[in-house]
């Protein structure tokens, strides 16, 4: 099987056209049922890494997984007030509106976000936004670096 990667917008448009011409038509009944809502049993919190696609890894069809993806699959602590809380909002929807039965946090090998967290622990420069984001994993990272069980 040969995989072609989208290099530009034209590749994405061509992929969309292939989807509409084949996969969408094959699953027309499924998409019709999903038009009015979703009832996934599982929420997945996964890394945004393009190599770790939860739907592919779990062989899930559209409508089966409610997925949130971000750098390193991190979940910020609960807090009220200012700021935008995308992961918290998704969790709230999953639990209160969709009534998911399980939440899975999916890690993967070779995670660039975790590598950035380790680099930050060694006082190496990482991106402005990445540095504060991966600091969410600092307690677990530091325990691992001290070779402690977490």
């Amino acid at each position: 099987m040969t995989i072609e990667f989208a290099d530009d917008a034209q590749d994405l448009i061509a992929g969309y056209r292939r989807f509409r011409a084949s996969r969408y038509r094959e699953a027309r009944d499924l998409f019709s049922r999903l038009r009015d809502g979703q009832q996934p049993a599982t929420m997945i919190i996964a890394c945004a890494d393009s190599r770790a696609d939860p739907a592919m890894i779990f062989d899930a069809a559209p409508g089966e997984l409610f997925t949130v993806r971000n750098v390193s699959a991190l979940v910020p602590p609960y807090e009220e007030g200012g700021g935008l809380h995308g992961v918290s909002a998704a969790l709230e929807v999953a639990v209160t509106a969709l009534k998911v039965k399980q939440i899975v946090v999916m890690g993967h090998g070779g995670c660039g976000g975790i590598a950035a967290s380790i680099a930050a622990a060694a006082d190496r420069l990482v991106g402005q936004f990445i540095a504060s984001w991966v600091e969410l994993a600092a307690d677990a990272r530091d325990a691992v670096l001290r070779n402690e069980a977490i």
Side-chain angles (χ1 to χ4, degrees):
M1 177 173 156
T2 302
I3 298 175
E4 294 184 31
F5 297 102
D7 287 330
D8 60 26
Q10 292 306 314
D11 290 338
L12 294 173
I13 291 167
Y16 174 72
R17 288 183 176 140
R18 286 190 305 275
F19 167 77
R20 291 291 299 193
S22 61
R23 292 175 74 185
Y24 179 80
R25 288 181 186 202
E26 294 166 6
R28 182 173 277 147
D29 291 341
L30 171 63
F31 288 113
S32 180
R33 287 193 311 274
L34 292 173
R35 178 179 48 225
D36 296 325
Q38 59 177 320
Q39 292 182 309
T42 302
M43 176 183 196
I44 303 281
I45 300 170
C47 185
D49 191 303
S50 64
R51 302 166 296 176
D53 180 3
M56 179 179 278
I57 289 168
F58 293 111
D59 193 25
E64 288 186 46
L65 303 175
F66 186 71
T67 304
V68 169
R69 296 180 74 172
N70 63 53
V71 173
S72 304
L74 297 175
V75 178
Y78 177 85
E79 66 180 9
E80 294 180 355
L84 301 173
H85 305 284
V87 177
S88 299
L91 280 161
E92 185 175 55
V93 167
V95 172
T96 63
L98 299 176
K99 310 279 191 237
V100 297
K101 294 177 176 64
Q102 59 190 346
I103 298 172
V104 175
V105 179
M106 184 185 111
H108 69 96
C111 180
I114 297 303
S117 180
I118 292 168
D123 292 325
R124 291 197 312 270
L125 207 51
V126 296
Q128 172 187 353
F129 296 104
I130 296 297
S132 59
W133 180 254
V134 298
E135 204 48 34
L136 292 169
D139 290 344
R141 172 204 65 209
D142 294 346
V144 168
L145 291 174
R146 288 188 306 268
N147 199 24
E148 297 174 2
I150 53 173

